[in-house]
Amino acid sequence: MSKTRSLLSKVLMCLTKEHNTKKLFTKNLLSSCFRSKMAALRRLRQCHSAGSAVSHLHTSSHVCAKQHYKMLVLGGGSGGITMSARMKRIFGAENVAVVEPSEMHYYQPIWTLVGAGAKTAASSGRPTASVMPSGVQWVKSKVQEINPDTNTVRTDDGTEISYEYLIVALGIQLHYEKIKGLPEGFGHPKIGSNYSIQTVEKTWKALQDFKEGNAIFTFPNTPVKCAGAPQKIMYLSDAFLRKTGKRAKANVIYNTSLPVLFGIKKYADSLWEIVKHRDLQVNLRQNLIEVRADKQEAVFENLDNPGETKVFEYEMLHVTPPMGPNLVIKASPLADEAGWLDLKKETLQHTKYPNVFGIGDCTNLPTARTAAAVAAQSAVLNRTISKILKKEKPDKTYDGYTSCPLVTSYNTVILAEFDYNGQPLETFPINQAKERRLMYHLKADVMPHLYWHGLLRGLWGGPGPYRKLLHLGMK
């Protein structure tokens, strides 16, 4: 353990060094940033009679006449904010705009712990204004239509914005409505979901109120973001029921549409051992199709025998919703046949439109959709765009790196890290398939700090450089 702590300390020292270096770099840009802010203020004064809103020098296209930007970013989630911070350094703040309607920004990976009572929902969110890079133009609207042939985007209020370069970071769409009885079923007790700020605290309430019976956890028959989350809450619920003396009266059941427990064999083997040791029931190829919340019943279809269904009574139900591509992307020329943003998986440049790029959950990149993937992608995308602006060929490639901290109790985590090929790509020179207390603290305490103060500021591009350092250059 002392060796592991020492390794983590080295990583954190490296992170601090990088942060300080980039802080100095940012300081050297203050004069140009100041000029950009003053220009933004002058434009605000000119259109003040039409009504204006200022938040950390952010301006809105609802107000100002300017409708063209060198770099337009669609989406203000993790991918959109980190790339807007990076693009601000390249293009200048006044030349970058972000289209995002939400007033709040959430660190969604922590919702697993919120659903288990280990963190509060309030700790997961901050005002969007506080994470939006200062000086960039914040368009507080929803994207309605993308027209890459004319280099324009139309928002839901009818505003048309043109661009020279476009980054699409619109995330993934949740579809609770594709399960009969939802989302209205969340109005009943005993049911929750860690995938929405509106329902995550219902998970914790259902867990606290559990008396005896079935505690059921689901995984849908669609792509999802954070594919480990549906079973993380199962392990945490099992731990809570043991701690409160209710486990003997509980049947903890994981009904997954997948044919495997986890997609990467090294980590799946460890998880199966946990399942057996803790007497958890895993049913493969079972897809939730209906919730009868008034009766506390859940209906599952056997995907190996379509049409065959089974009704489970539940005392607690955690729902992972079906998910799909963003509907605006799906309706645009940017989509592949399935509706996802069609990118070159090495450079994150669009396959057809060379001035269009993408990042995160909305893309068709063949890797797990996580915040860790966004971090690694952001560094590659930043390099790709920098090279293209210089009319050079992109020289940095994305290897599909992603990470899933599999929370297995209130103090242990299996830290899964892997690439496009499903091969482990671990940061630490230890067996990360083993449950470790240190990895739990990394998940619960270090990663949130890294997210708010590193990733969203465009200062964290994943652990790649530190992996090489810790593995003596052999990875």
Side-chain angles (χ1 to χ4, degrees):
M1 181 63 71
S2 60
K3 179 181 178 182
T4 307
R5 290 180 185 277
S6 176
L7 289 169
L8 183 59
S9 297
K10 290 180 180 179
V11 173
L12 294 177
M13 287 174 64
C14 290
L15 292 179
T16 302
K17 182 177 180 181
E18 181 191 43
H19 176 77
N20 290 336
T21 300
K22 292 189 175 181
K23 189 173 181 182
L24 285 173
F25 173 72
T26 304
K27 184 176 180 182
N28 291 334
L29 294 178
L30 282 177
S31 59
S32 61
C33 288
F34 178 78
R35 288 193 297 272
S36 298
K37 292 173 183 176
M38 291 303 101
L41 279 174
R42 285 194 294 272
R43 287 194 299 274
L44 280 171
R45 293 190 185 104
Q46 290 169 2
C47 58
H48 183 73
S49 60
S52 60
V54 183
S55 179
H56 292 279
L57 296 181
H58 305 134
T59 61
S60 168
S61 70
H62 293 307
V63 179
C64 294
K66 181 175 180 181
Q67 299 299 314
H68 176 80
Y69 299 94
K70 289 184 178 179
M71 173 57 74
L72 183 62
V73 180
L74 305 183
S78 56
I81 294 296
T82 187
M83 288 313 302
S84 62
R86 289 176 179 270
M87 293 302 97
K88 171 184 171 180
R89 298 182 193 123
I90 293 177
F91 291 95
E94 74 278 9
N95 296 311
V96 179
V98 181
V99 183
E100 171 57 50
S102 303
E103 293 285 350
M104 288 294 292
H105 180 103
Y106 292 98
Y107 176 55
Q108 297 181 28
I110 209 68
W111 285 348
T112 286
L113 299 181
V114 173
K119 296 285 185 178
T120 65
S123 71
S124 71
R126 297 185 183 183
T128 301
S130 71
V131 299
M132 189 71 66
S134 61
V136 305
Q137 316 305 302
W138 177 15
V139 182
K140 297 182 184 179
S141 301
K142 289 183 179 180
V143 178
Q144 189 74 26
E145 185 180 3
I146 306 171
N147 298 298
D149 292 310
T150 58
N151 293 331
T152 59
V153 168
R154 186 168 56 85
T155 63
D156 59 354
D157 66 350
T159 300
E160 185 173 272
I161 308 170
S162 61
Y163 60 83
E164 292 182 31
Y165 298 94
L166 180 71
I167 294 176
V168 184
L170 289 172
I172 197 169
Q173 201 95 20
L174 304 184
H175 290 293
Y176 287 104
E177 78 284 355
K178 290 189 176 182
I179 300 172
K180 186 178 179 181
L182 293 182
E184 61 271 19
F186 288 114
H188 292 264
K190 310 291 186 179
I191 177 174
S193 175
N194 290 352
Y195 277 86
S196 167
I197 190 61
Q198 286 79 29
T199 57
V200 63
E201 290 178 301
K202 293 180 183 293
T203 303
W204 174 227
K205 183 71 166 64
L207 183 55
Q208 288 176 297
D209 292 345
F210 187 95
K211 294 181 175 62
E212 61 178 315
N214 294 332
I216 303 176
F217 307 85
T218 75
F219 190 110
N221 190 30
T222 66
V224 300
K225 57 181 174 181
C226 194
Q231 61 182 293
K232 295 177 192 179
I233 187 60
M234 171 184 65
Y235 301 124
L236 284 163
S237 296
D238 170 72
F240 179 81
L241 295 174
R242 291 179 186 278
K243 183 171 64 174
T244 54
K246 300 176 182 178
R247 184 61 178 88
K249 295 182 178 181
N251 301 312
V252 180
I253 303 169
Y254 183 55
N255 284 355
T256 173
S257 65
L258 298 177
V260 295
L261 181 57
F262 192 72
I264 311 303
K265 186 178 184 302
K266 175 177 181 177
Y267 307 114
D269 289 346
S270 296
L271 294 172
W272 276 117
E273 289 299 318
I274 294 171
V275 165
K276 293 174 184 177
H277 178 69
R278 300 185 192 176
D279 192 26
L280 308 174
Q281 182 179 334
V282 175
N283 300 314
L284 305 176
R285 303 292 287 159
Q286 297 295 312
N287 183 42
L288 178 66
I289 60 172
E290 181 181 358
V291 174
R292 302 166 183 166
D294 56 334
K295 300 178 181 178
Q296 291 179 214
E297 293 178 347
V299 183
F300 292 84
E301 181 180 21
N302 182 353
L303 296 178
D304 288 332
N305 188 13
E308 177 186 313
T309 61
K310 184 176 181 180
V311 179
F312 287 76
E313 293 183 351
Y314 64 83
E315 170 70 3
M316 173 187 177
L317 177 65
H318 177 269
V319 177
T320 300
M323 303 180 203
N326 178 275
L327 299 181
V328 174
I329 296 174
K330 189 175 183 179
S332 80
L334 297 177
D336 65 8
E337 292 182 357
W340 304 98
L341 187 68
D342 196 12
L343 298 183
K344 297 175 183 178
K345 70 175 188 177
E346 295 85 7
T347 62
L348 311 188
Q349 186 178 27
H350 195 269
T351 55
K352 181 180 177 182
Y353 299 94
N355 65 330
V356 177
F357 310 87
I359 188 171
D361 297 347
C362 69
T363 71
N364 64 354
L365 300 175
T367 192
R369 295 172 168 88
T370 68
V374 167
Q377 291 165 19
S378 71
V380 174
L381 183 51
N382 187 71
R383 180 73 172 181
T384 293
I385 293 173
S386 297
K387 285 291 184 178
I388 287 174
L389 290 174
K390 297 175 183 177
K391 301 187 184 305
E392 298 176 4
K393 185 178 180 180
D395 59 355
K396 187 176 179 68
T397 60
Y398 176 51
D399 56 11
Y401 171 82
T402 190
S403 175
C404 183
L406 293 156
V407 184
T408 54
S409 75
Y410 284 90
N411 57 15
T412 55
V413 159
I414 289 174
L415 184 59
E417 295 179 289
F418 48 97
D419 61 15
Y420 273 140
N421 300 316
Q423 296 301 309
L425 193 59
E426 298 179 344
T427 298
F428 300 95
I430 54 177
N431 179 14
Q432 291 181 197
K434 181 181 178 181
E435 292 180 276
R436 297 182 186 275
R437 289 176 179 267
L438 181 61
M439 297 307 179
Y440 178 86
H441 292 299
L442 191 68
K443 157 72 177 177
D445 305 315
V446 177
M447 289 182 180
H449 183 82
L450 199 56
Y451 180 84
W452 295 114
H453 303 286
L455 179 63
L456 295 188
R457 296 181 182 180
L459 301 174
W460 172 248
Y466 312 108
R467 182 185 308 116
K468 290 183 179 180
L469 175 67
L470 292 169
H471 289 268
L472 302 178
M474 292 185 287
K475 275 200 177 185

